[in-house]
Amino acid sequence: MKRTPKIDNIRNIGIIAHIDAGKTTVTERILFYTGKSYKIGEVHDGEAVMDWMVDEQERGITITSAVTTCNWQGTDVQVIDTPGHVDFTIEVERSLRVLDGAVGVFCAVGGVEPQSETVWRQADRYKVPKIAFINKLDRIGADFFNTVKEMKERLNAAPLLLQIPCGSEDRFEGVFDLIHMQKIVWDDETLGASYTRQDLSPDEQAELAPHREQLLETLAEVDDQVMEAYLNETPIPADMLETAIRQATIDLKRVPVLCGSALKNKGIQPLLDAIVRYLPSPLDVPAIKGVHPDSGETVTCLPKDRAPLAALIFKVSMIEGRKMTYARIYSGRIKAGEEVYNATRKKKERISRILMMHANKRDRLDEAGAGGIVGIVGPKEASTGETLCQADHPVLLEDIDTYQPVISVAIEPKTHTDQEKIEEVLEKFLAEDPTLKVKVDEDTGQTILSGMGELHLEVIISRMLREFKTSVNVGKPQVVYRETIEAVADGRAVFDREVAGQRHFGEVALRLTPLPRGTGNVFRGEVSDDQIPATLVPAVEKGVLESLESGTLMGYPVVDVQADLVGGSFKESQGTELAYKVSASMACKDALTKGRPFLLDPIMKVEVFVPEAFMGEVIGDLNARGGKIDAIEHRTGQQAITASVPLARMFGYSTALRSASQGRGTFSMHFSHFDRSG
């Protein structure tokens, strides 16, 4: 059984970045240099410890966030390696929700790429302190200072340079440390495990002097002690600088920037030092607040082992057919064999085992305390975003936001055996992944699987076959549209019939008004009591909102509509909730039909990176797909084209881009908003 560390010796961090910036490679080096792995696993060989799923190894990308724990200088670093592909953004979202700090990895060639912006803003939303690691400085086209500039412009970050690269591209040797004013060089023969700190030459000192001055100036702005020493022109010791950097990082005022090349084994140990020195322990961040499920009072969950238990389930995983629940313990302790209370479901669950995770391997623990991120076996019904606590101290922590799917495929089982298994298999996937949705089309009888993108659905179908031996036929991907109206329209309906021996009467008059894109649906029910009593207005609202879930055009959800209750009538003793709910739904459908309904396409934000020679052809192709070019920006050796394109026109784009750019173009896209295309 493993020991549990002291809470101030814990760092819960996530590695976040755009796809292919080198997150998993950085994580593999962290595991190697902390002694957690005996050899370095490479992504391109399919041997990365953290990419343990077959689909991850084959595709060379991270699909599911993996948790591991390693030790550096007496501090337990609990690392979550998150995916960089936009289809798996929920994995980043739920990881950031439970982390105390993050390391943003940036490619020195690509700079701040689109998904880097997305995950950085997610971290900002959860107020997660961050360190930046600029990777791949050995690559052709690497530009450290341009990446720092993009961090300021695109992320609105305040970078604090702690290191400067020594050389770049094929001349990259190591890094200059601006705190100690030394040069750090790694030994290639030991795979970077050993490194030396060297004194600077006079030329190097002169080159670094402005950067060192900038570091001191910036810290003087945020720390009074450094300010005093700086103004008095007295030498400032390294430990005073480090204290100031730590506080500025935790207060979200500055982002320390380090650099290196993970693939060439350079820069990782100082990054580990920075994680331990500058990122917060669970004691350094504000105590999480929840609410009492019955009274609604605010409950503060102090990060102490002796406090009442409060833990958030941030991920559910099916490993070898067994349900594994990942939880972050904010306060109190969890012990194996004890009962806990699921405040979300209002049910008791037994904890059979507690596990310290290392990707898909694990070590058993007797108990785990505040600050821990652990795997739990036992809870049968728990799912993402639910709270575990004590029955006598119930608390509900804030749920985790999920995203609405934008693409769907029809699937059907290949054999009778598959037919029997498919429902059970899909149920397991739904428990794992809140962004996956399943429904049965009543007209065709087909099962419709909806997700965040083509790759997301591809991986799910691949896993059905590999892990659960369930074969399915897959239809063409279908876009999930929305509907809205373009004209103000009135609708009226009467429900007057006998149901189960009782007369039900309700008459409702509605007016639907189109709203600006992205507003959502609004209901206003202000009518006089003699038309419809106030007690029955909630039934009208329910009927309207349910009716808006499926439009009159093609049955897609209706958005950006204001529904005003403008009239109706009421009969004493016959006016029931059922009657008003049904008549409201009918009146809403009537108004939708008259309001000139039309479809809204999911519009994707697409960023294409392409050499200048092929730019004209690529822009022409995007225009032909109904795209709108938003920006064209010059990057090292290539152009970055940002465009908004309807998802329906983006199928097969990777093949078209390859042929238009002789295989040299790359692109990424993520959902932006719903709008009328064309």
Coordinates of all heavy atoms in Angstrom, one line a residue, residues 440-487:
V440 N -32.8 7.0 -30.7 CA -33.3 6.1 -31.7 C -34.3 6.9 -32.6 O -35.2 7.5 -32.0 CB -34.0 4.9 -31.1 CG1 -34.7 4.0 -32.2 CG2 -33.0 4.1 -30.3
D441 N -34.1 6.9 -33.9 CA -35.0 7.6 -34.8 C -36.3 6.8 -34.9 O -36.3 5.7 -35.4 CB -34.3 7.8 -36.2 CG -35.1 8.6 -37.1 OD1 -36.3 8.5 -37.2 OD2 -34.5 9.5 -37.8
E442 N -37.4 7.4 -34.5 CA -38.6 6.7 -34.5 C -39.1 6.3 -35.8 O -39.8 5.3 -36.0 CB -39.7 7.5 -33.7 CG -39.4 7.6 -32.2 CD -40.4 8.5 -31.5 OE1 -41.4 8.9 -32.1 OE2 -40.1 8.7 -30.3
D443 N -38.8 7.2 -36.9 CA -39.3 6.9 -38.2 C -38.5 5.7 -38.9 O -39.1 4.9 -39.5 CB -39.1 8.1 -39.1 CG -40.0 9.3 -38.6 OD1 -41.0 9.0 -38.0 OD2 -39.6 10.4 -38.8
T444 N -37.2 5.7 -38.7 CA -36.4 4.7 -39.4 C -36.0 3.5 -38.5 O -35.5 2.5 -39.0 CB -35.1 5.3 -39.9 OG1 -34.3 5.8 -38.8 CG2 -35.4 6.5 -40.9
G445 N -36.1 3.7 -37.1 CA -35.6 2.7 -36.2 C -34.1 2.6 -36.1 O -33.6 1.8 -35.3
Q446 N -33.4 3.6 -36.7 CA -31.9 3.6 -36.6 C -31.5 4.2 -35.3 O -32.1 5.1 -34.8 CB -31.3 4.4 -37.8 CG -31.4 3.7 -39.1 CD -30.8 4.6 -40.2 OE1 -31.2 5.8 -40.3 NE2 -29.9 4.1 -41.0
T447 N -30.3 3.7 -34.8 CA -29.7 4.4 -33.7 C -28.8 5.5 -34.2 O -27.9 5.3 -35.0 CB -28.8 3.3 -32.9 OG1 -29.7 2.3 -32.5 CG2 -28.2 3.9 -31.7
I448 N -29.0 6.7 -33.7 CA -28.2 7.9 -34.1 C -27.2 8.2 -33.0 O -27.6 8.5 -31.9 CB -29.2 9.1 -34.4 CG1 -30.3 8.7 -35.3 CG2 -28.4 10.3 -34.9 CD1 -29.9 8.4 -36.7
L449 N -26.0 8.2 -33.4 CA -24.9 8.5 -32.5 C -24.4 9.9 -32.8 O -24.0 10.2 -33.9 CB -23.8 7.5 -32.7 CG -22.7 7.3 -31.7 CD1 -23.2 6.9 -30.3 CD2 -21.6 6.3 -32.2
S450 N -24.4 10.9 -31.8 CA -24.0 12.2 -32.1 C -22.8 12.6 -31.2 O -22.7 12.2 -30.1 CB -25.1 13.2 -31.7 OG -26.2 12.9 -32.5
G451 N -21.8 13.3 -31.8 CA -20.6 13.7 -31.1 C -20.0 15.0 -31.5 O -20.7 15.8 -32.2
M452 N -18.8 15.2 -31.2 CA -18.1 16.5 -31.3 C -17.4 16.7 -32.7 O -16.9 17.7 -33.0 CB -17.1 16.8 -30.2 CG -17.7 16.8 -28.8 SD -19.0 18.1 -28.7 CE -18.1 19.6 -28.9
G453 N -17.3 15.6 -33.4 CA -16.6 15.7 -34.7 C -16.4 14.3 -35.3 O -16.7 13.3 -34.7
E454 N -15.9 14.3 -36.6 CA -15.7 13.0 -37.3 C -14.8 12.1 -36.5 O -15.0 10.9 -36.4 CB -15.1 13.2 -38.7 CG -16.2 13.8 -39.7 CD -15.6 13.9 -41.1 OE1 -15.0 15.0 -41.3 OE2 -15.7 13.0 -41.9
L455 N -13.7 12.6 -36.0 CA -12.7 11.8 -35.3 C -13.3 11.2 -34.0 O -13.1 10.0 -33.7 CB -11.4 12.6 -35.0 CG -10.3 11.8 -34.3 CD1 -9.8 10.7 -35.1 CD2 -9.2 12.8 -33.9
H456 N -14.0 12.0 -33.3 CA -14.7 11.6 -32.1 C -15.5 10.3 -32.3 O -15.4 9.3 -31.6 CB -15.6 12.7 -31.5 CG -16.2 12.5 -30.2 ND1 -17.3 13.1 -29.8 CD2 -15.9 11.6 -29.2 CE1 -17.7 12.7 -28.6 NE2 -16.8 11.7 -28.2
L457 N -16.4 10.4 -33.4 CA -17.3 9.3 -33.7 C -16.5 8.1 -34.2 O -16.8 6.9 -33.9 CB -18.3 9.7 -34.7 CG -19.3 10.8 -34.2 CD1 -20.3 11.2 -35.3 CD2 -20.1 10.3 -32.9
E458 N -15.4 8.4 -35.0 CA -14.6 7.3 -35.5 C -14.0 6.5 -34.4 O -13.9 5.3 -34.4 CB -13.4 7.9 -36.3 CG -13.3 7.6 -37.8 CD -12.2 8.3 -38.4 OE1 -11.0 8.0 -38.1 OE2 -12.4 9.3 -39.2
V459 N -13.5 7.2 -33.4 CA -12.8 6.5 -32.2 C -13.8 5.7 -31.5 O -13.5 4.6 -31.1 CB -12.1 7.6 -31.3 CG1 -11.7 7.0 -30.0 CG2 -10.9 8.2 -32.0
I460 N -15.0 6.2 -31.3 CA -16.1 5.5 -30.5 C -16.4 4.2 -31.3 O -16.5 3.1 -30.7 CB -17.3 6.3 -30.4 CG1 -17.1 7.5 -29.4 CG2 -18.5 5.5 -29.9 CD1 -16.9 7.2 -28.0
I461 N -16.5 4.2 -32.6 CA -16.9 3.0 -33.4 C -15.7 2.1 -33.4 O -15.9 0.8 -33.3 CB -17.3 3.5 -34.8 CG1 -18.7 4.1 -34.7 CG2 -17.4 2.3 -35.7 CD1 -19.1 5.1 -35.8
S462 N -14.5 2.6 -33.4 CA -13.3 1.7 -33.4 C -13.3 1.0 -32.0 O -13.0 -0.2 -32.0 CB -12.1 2.6 -33.6 OG -10.9 1.9 -33.2
R463 N -13.6 1.7 -30.9 CA -13.5 1.1 -29.6 C -14.6 0.1 -29.4 O -14.5 -0.9 -28.7 CB -13.6 2.2 -28.5 CG -12.4 3.1 -28.4 CD -12.5 4.0 -27.2 NE -12.7 3.4 -26.0 CZ -13.2 3.9 -24.9 NH1 -13.6 5.2 -24.9 NH2 -13.4 3.3 -23.8
M464 N -15.8 0.3 -30.1 CA -16.9 -0.7 -30.0 C -16.4 -2.0 -30.5 O -16.7 -3.1 -29.9 CB -18.1 -0.2 -30.8 CG -18.9 0.9 -30.2 SD -20.2 1.5 -31.3 CE -21.5 0.3 -30.9
L465 N -15.6 -2.0 -31.6 CA -15.1 -3.3 -32.2 C -14.0 -3.8 -31.3 O -14.0 -5.0 -31.0 CB -14.7 -3.0 -33.6 CG -14.3 -4.2 -34.4 CD1 -15.4 -5.3 -34.5 CD2 -13.8 -3.8 -35.8
R466 N -13.0 -3.0 -31.0 CA -11.8 -3.5 -30.3 C -12.1 -4.0 -28.9 O -11.6 -5.0 -28.5 CB -10.7 -2.4 -30.2 CG -10.1 -2.1 -31.5 CD -9.0 -1.0 -31.2 NE -8.6 -0.3 -32.4 CZ -7.6 -0.6 -33.1 NH1 -6.9 -1.7 -32.9 NH2 -7.3 0.1 -34.2
E467 N -12.8 -3.1 -28.1 CA -12.9 -3.4 -26.7 C -14.1 -4.3 -26.4 O -14.1 -5.0 -25.4 CB -13.0 -2.1 -25.9 CG -11.7 -1.3 -25.9 CD -11.9 0.1 -25.2 OE1 -12.7 0.2 -24.3 OE2 -11.3 1.1 -25.7
F468 N -15.2 -4.1 -27.2 CA -16.4 -4.8 -26.8 C -16.9 -5.8 -27.9 O -17.9 -6.4 -27.8 CB -17.5 -3.8 -26.6 CG -17.2 -2.9 -25.4 CD1 -16.8 -1.6 -25.7 CD2 -17.4 -3.3 -24.1 CE1 -16.5 -0.7 -24.6 CE2 -17.1 -2.4 -23.1 CZ -16.6 -1.1 -23.3
K469 N -16.0 -6.0 -28.9 CA -16.3 -7.0 -30.0 C -17.7 -6.8 -30.6 O -18.4 -7.8 -30.8 CB -16.1 -8.4 -29.5 CG -14.7 -8.7 -28.8 CD -13.6 -8.7 -29.8 CE -12.2 -9.0 -29.2 NZ -11.6 -7.9 -28.5
T470 N -18.1 -5.6 -30.8 CA -19.4 -5.3 -31.3 C -19.2 -4.6 -32.7 O -18.7 -3.5 -32.8 CB -20.2 -4.3 -30.4 OG1 -20.2 -4.9 -29.1 CG2 -21.6 -4.1 -30.8
S471 N -19.7 -5.3 -33.7 CA -19.6 -4.7 -35.1 C -20.8 -4.0 -35.5 O -21.9 -4.4 -35.2 CB -19.3 -5.8 -36.1 OG -18.2 -6.5 -35.7
V472 N -20.6 -2.8 -36.1 CA -21.8 -2.0 -36.6 C -21.6 -1.5 -38.0 O -20.4 -1.4 -38.4 CB -22.1 -0.8 -35.7 CG1 -22.6 -1.2 -34.3 CG2 -20.9 0.1 -35.6
N473 N -22.7 -1.4 -38.7 CA -22.6 -0.7 -40.0 C -22.8 0.8 -39.7 O -23.7 1.2 -38.9 CB -23.7 -1.1 -41.0 CG -23.5 -2.6 -41.4 OD1 -22.4 -3.0 -41.7 ND2 -24.6 -3.4 -41.4
V474 N -22.1 1.7 -40.4 CA -22.1 3.1 -40.1 C -22.6 3.9 -41.3 O -22.0 3.7 -42.4 CB -20.7 3.6 -39.7 CG1 -20.8 5.1 -39.3 CG2 -20.2 2.8 -38.5
G475 N -23.6 4.7 -41.1 CA -24.1 5.6 -42.2 C -23.2 6.8 -42.4 O -22.2 7.0 -41.7
K476 N -23.5 7.6 -43.4 CA -22.7 8.8 -43.7 C -22.9 9.8 -42.5 O -24.0 9.9 -42.0 CB -23.1 9.5 -45.0 CG -22.4 8.9 -46.2 CD -22.8 9.7 -47.5 CE -22.3 11.1 -47.4 NZ -22.7 11.8 -48.7
P477 N -21.8 10.6 -42.2 CA -22.0 11.5 -41.1 C -23.1 12.6 -41.5 O -23.2 13.0 -42.6 CB -20.7 12.2 -41.0 CG -19.7 11.3 -41.6 CD -20.5 10.5 -42.7
Q478 N -23.9 12.9 -40.5 CA -25.0 13.9 -40.7 C -24.7 15.1 -39.8 O -24.4 14.9 -38.7 CB -26.4 13.3 -40.4 CG -26.8 12.1 -41.2 CD -27.0 12.5 -42.7 OE1 -27.7 13.5 -42.9 NE2 -26.5 11.7 -43.6
V479 N -25.0 16.2 -40.3 CA -24.8 17.5 -39.5 C -26.0 17.6 -38.6 O -27.1 17.4 -39.0 CB -24.6 18.7 -40.4 CG1 -24.6 20.0 -39.6 CG2 -23.4 18.5 -41.3
V480 N -25.8 18.0 -37.4 CA -26.9 18.3 -36.4 C -27.2 19.9 -36.5 O -26.4 20.7 -36.1 CB -26.5 18.0 -35.0 CG1 -27.6 18.3 -34.0 CG2 -26.1 16.5 -34.9
Y481 N -28.3 20.2 -37.2 CA -28.6 21.6 -37.4 C -29.4 22.1 -36.3 O -29.8 21.4 -35.3 CB -29.5 21.7 -38.7 CG -28.7 21.4 -40.0 CD1 -28.8 20.1 -40.5 CD2 -28.0 22.4 -40.7 CE1 -28.1 19.8 -41.7 CE2 -27.3 22.0 -41.8 CZ -27.4 20.7 -42.3 OH -26.7 20.4 -43.5
R482 N -29.8 23.4 -36.3 CA -30.8 24.0 -35.5 C -31.8 24.7 -36.4 O -31.5 25.0 -37.5 CB -30.1 25.1 -34.5 CG -29.1 24.5 -33.5 CD -29.8 23.7 -32.5 NE -28.9 23.2 -31.4 CZ -28.2 22.1 -31.5 NH1 -28.4 21.3 -32.5 NH2 -27.4 21.7 -30.5
E483 N -33.0 25.0 -35.8 CA -34.0 25.7 -36.6 C -34.3 27.0 -35.8 O -34.1 27.1 -34.6 CB -35.3 24.9 -36.7 CG -35.1 23.6 -37.5 CD -36.4 22.8 -37.7 OE1 -37.5 23.4 -37.5 OE2 -36.3 21.6 -38.0
T484 N -34.8 28.0 -36.6 CA -35.3 29.2 -36.0 C -36.3 29.9 -37.0 O -36.6 29.2 -38.0 CB -34.1 30.2 -35.7 OG1 -34.6 31.3 -34.9 CG2 -33.5 30.8 -36.9
I485 N -36.8 31.0 -36.6 CA -37.8 31.7 -37.5 C -37.3 33.1 -37.9 O -36.4 33.6 -37.3 CB -39.2 31.8 -36.8 CG1 -39.0 32.5 -35.5 CG2 -39.8 30.4 -36.6 CD1 -40.3 32.9 -34.8
E486 N -37.8 33.6 -39.0 CA -37.4 34.9 -39.4 C -38.5 36.0 -39.3 O -38.2 37.2 -39.6 CB -36.8 34.9 -40.8 CG -37.7 34.4 -41.9 CD -37.0 34.4 -43.3 OE1 -35.9 35.0 -43.4 OE2 -37.5 33.8 -44.2
A487 N -39.7 35.6 -38.9 CA -40.8 36.6 -38.9 C -41.5 36.4 -37.5 O -41.6 35.3 -37.0 CB -41.7 36.4 -40.0

